[in-house]
Amino acid sequence: MTALTLSTAAAPGLRADAIVVGVAKGAKSPVVAPGAEAVDQAYDGKLAGILETLGATGTEGELTKVPAPAGFKAPLVVAVGLGEKPAKNAAHDTEALRKAAGVAARTLGGAKKAAFALPVADAAAVSAIAEGVLLGAYSFDRYKENGNGKGAKAGNGKAPLAEAALLGAKPRDKEHKAALTRATAVSEELNRARDLINTPPNDLNPESFAAIAQAAGKEHGIKVQVLDEKALAKGGYGGILGVGVGSAAGPRLVKLSYSHAKAKKHLAFVGKGITYDSGGISLKPAGHNETMKCDMSGAAAVFAAVVAAARLGLEVNVTGWLALAENMPSGSATRPGDVLHMYSGKTVEVLNTDAEGRLVLADALWAASQEKPDAIVDVATLTGAMVLALGSRTFGIMANDDAFRGTIHTLAEEVGEPAWPMPLPDHLRKGMDSPTADIANMGERMGGGLVAGLFLKEFIGDGITWAHLDIAGPAFNEGGPFGYTPKGGTGTAVRTLVRLAEQTADGAQG
Ligand code: BES
Ligand code: MN
Ligand code: ZN
């Protein structure tokens, strides 16, 4: 990953491949953003005019390259759009900074060192720029010819930016340093979640995912318990087993327990971890299964969030549950019509084996409930219906508590993860009535994302606050990269979960 430093160096003498500056949309013309004063002076105050001549407007996502002014050690100035110029005395929006830093870092793939002279009003800006750089520079090249894990042939054919200096941030400032440390831990773990999502399903299966979790647990002082198929059968986890039974790679339930001696609150995060979703006997048609390695994105997000919480030493207990299985058709696979005996004691008639996520989650949610945490949040690439409803960049939030749903929504927006509240209308429950079992795993087609949410709700212990994030849209980016989001696995929901853990820790300290 890109090495980040806070630097007070002056731009002209900096030895770097490029200096990144911000440009905002002014009333009529683009304006150079604070932080780049020294650069602008070296152009005799004409940088905004030069950029305008080159067609720059300051729009978000825009990138303009200019030869550096005479006397500069760095050869190139890269101007990135920050969107509307903020009102007088107001700071630039942190998400605009994160995106701009991400665009620049991605474009500078192949470079050794870049200096970022973006507006640093406070520690929140340091954090946003650092995250933008670390997340934007991400590449997944392990499977490319000569790929050496160091980005030899990354997405753009170049190694990720090796080094970034954040100018204007203060290396001695406690808050700035803390912001950098936090951004590094969160971004590294988020990038690891992306790696897991991008790893092909012949290499990432429930067993190998569990082994990775065990290794990370050892490294970061997290207790890790793994239930394999034998233990799952003994424990009565009929949902996880029913989904995994068709695959040669058996299912696992992984429990990651991070605890802090001073913790007053306990959060449980539950992730859908279908390492490949073929649909099972209700097989998906070609055109719908090529990206289904991403169906473990929820488990990857939960894993990353628990490790990040541990690395940050948050004063809160966080338990992560990874419900891992591969959904395959075979002679041993669950059939449409089969009835599963779930861990909660309920029975489920499987009408469609492609509605498998809710089955593995049901067991994990019930297991999480047994510890009576203060809240449970599950994360899942659960339904195509949610993608139809909210598109490919926004996840849906459902909950059994309006205030908690609102809290998650606020935190998600704060960290730059687009999300939107969705309802759980009671009337949709009867569509899942089964003549044979307590409930069927499918209901009305209309509102399919909400139906899935209502199914999960049946497996939450009494009185426990719960929210469900359906990340089927934003988990995997099938389009081109944008902002700090690469093609492929995005790591969505990691930052919302970490923020929730932080807020829960802070709130408990009062
Ligand atoms: N993993 C899919 C949902 C999905 C779709 C994730 C698109 C990412 C992108 C899930 O297991 C699934 O197949 N859901 C079915 C449920 C239906 C059979 C009730 C769906 O949404 O079609
Ligand atoms: Mn499915
Ligand atoms: Zn699935």
Side-chain angles (χ1 to χ4, degrees):
M1 240 181 43
T2 312
L4 272 186
T5 50
L6 304 181
S7 169
T8 49
L14 257 169
R15 282 180 205 284
D17 298 299
I19 296 176
V20 177
V21 303
V23 52
K25 264 177 104 146
K28 283 200 205 93
S29 311
V31 289
V32 176
E37 290 82 359
V39 180
D40 190 25
Q41 267 164 33
Y43 288 107
D44 295 326
K46 293 187 176 125
L47 180 54
I50 294 170
L51 290 170
E52 191 172 18
T53 307
L54 292 169
T57 59
T59 314
E60 271 190 21
E62 178 187 270
L63 187 133
T64 314
K65 290 180 179 178
V66 195
F72 267 51
K73 292 243 160 70
L76 181 71
V77 167
V78 171
V80 277
L82 289 168
E84 292 297 332
K85 179 179 185 281
K88 224 181 158 158
N89 299 326
H92 275 274
D93 173 52
T94 50
E95 178 63 358
L97 290 173
R98 200 179 282 113
K99 284 183 183 156
V103 170
R106 174 155 40 79
T107 310
L108 287 164
K112 241 190 118 298
K113 181 171 178 177
F116 287 72
L118 293 170
V120 176
D122 51 17
V126 174
S127 182
I129 297 166
E131 284 178 9
V133 170
L134 296 173
L135 299 176
Y138 174 83
S139 77
F140 186 74
D141 71 313
R142 227 181 274 167
Y143 290 84
K144 298 273 189 188
E145 189 186 358
N146 300 330
N148 58 4
K150 292 190 181 123
K153 291 208 171 173
N156 56 4
K158 290 169 184 160
L161 174 65
E163 214 186 314
L166 307 193
L167 307 186
K170 302 188 193 79
R172 296 236 167 81
D173 183 309
K174 241 174 127 180
E175 282 182 31
H176 287 197
K177 276 201 304 199
L180 182 67
T181 307
R182 179 194 178 276
T184 304
V186 174
S187 306
E188 278 178 4
E189 294 313 320
L190 193 153
N191 281 340
R192 178 153 61 172
R194 289 171 171 178
D195 278 347
L196 288 168
I197 298 165
N198 291 329
T199 300
N202 55 334
D203 280 345
L204 190 84
N205 60 30
E207 188 182 356
S208 61
F209 196 156
I212 291 168
Q214 260 163 337
K218 241 190 203 144
E219 189 181 342
H220 299 290
I222 300 162
K223 187 175 163 199
V224 181
Q225 290 159 283
V226 179
L227 300 187
D228 61 11
E229 38 300 49
K230 267 194 198 151
L232 290 167
K234 209 171 157 207
Y237 294 81
I240 297 174
L241 281 168
V243 174
V245 72
S247 168
R252 297 287 185 274
L253 177 62
V254 177
K255 179 184 180 188
L256 298 137
S257 312
Y258 162 66
S259 49
H260 191 286
K262 289 193 201 148
K264 294 196 181 69
K265 296 271 182 188
H266 177 198
L267 292 173
F269 297 157
V270 177
K272 171 178 173 181
I274 302 298
T275 57
Y276 182 68
D277 182 11
S278 72
I281 298 292
S282 314
L283 194 62
K284 285 182 189 294
H288 292 261
N289 53 20
E290 294 82 354
T291 58
M292 278 303 140
K293 66 175 180 181
C294 82
D295 215 17
M296 36 55 71
S297 296
V302 164
F303 174 46
V306 176
V307 177
R311 286 181 61 172
L312 299 174
L314 302 182
E315 288 190 17
V316 56
N317 293 339
V318 185
T319 311
W321 299 85
L322 317 181
L324 307 177
E326 185 181 49
N327 189 23
M328 294 291 270
S330 76
S332 61
T334 292
R335 297 156 278 259
D338 281 355
V339 171
L340 302 177
H341 292 264
M342 309 294 281
Y343 183 54
S344 78
K346 282 201 165 91
T347 55
V348 176
E349 182 176 15
V350 177
L351 293 180
N352 190 321
T353 62
D354 199 11
E356 84 298 337
R358 63 198 74 182
L359 298 173
V360 298
L361 286 171
D363 279 357
L365 287 168
W366 187 252
S369 295
Q370 299 321 297
E371 302 194 321
K372 304 220 175 321
D374 294 291
I376 300 178
V377 181
D378 78 69
V379 187
T381 46
L382 205 58
T383 65
M386 198 55 61
V387 191
L388 289 175
L390 295 177
S392 59
R393 293 194 187 179
T394 306
F395 62 76
I397 313 168
M398 284 145 270
N400 62 2
D401 180 300
D402 290 347
F404 192 52
R405 188 182 54 225
T407 298
I408 304 255
H409 184 206
T410 306
L411 297 177
E413 296 284 344
E414 246 174 61
V415 299
E417 294 187 327
W420 204 253
M422 300 294 274
L424 290 172
D426 286 334
H427 75 93
L428 289 173
R429 168 61 183 83
K430 68 175 184 308
M432 291 184 285
D433 284 349
S434 157
T436 316
D438 296 327
I439 188 169
N441 78 330
M442 237 183 78
E444 284 179 37
R445 199 168 73 86
M446 297 299 171
L450 321 181
V451 172
L454 281 166
F455 181 93
L456 298 180
K457 193 176 163 203
E458 303 268 325
F459 297 89
I460 306 299
D462 273 349
I464 300 178
T465 303
W466 158 75
H468 158 55
L469 315 185
D470 191 337
I471 61 167
F476 198 81
N477 175 22
E478 293 186 49
F482 58 93
Y484 51 90
T485 306
K487 213 175 157 56
T490 64
T492 191
V494 171
R495 289 178 298 133
T496 299
L497 293 180
V498 173
R499 201 58 207 96
L500 175 67
E502 286 177 330
Q503 202 212 39
T504 307
D506 293 348
Q509 277 173 352

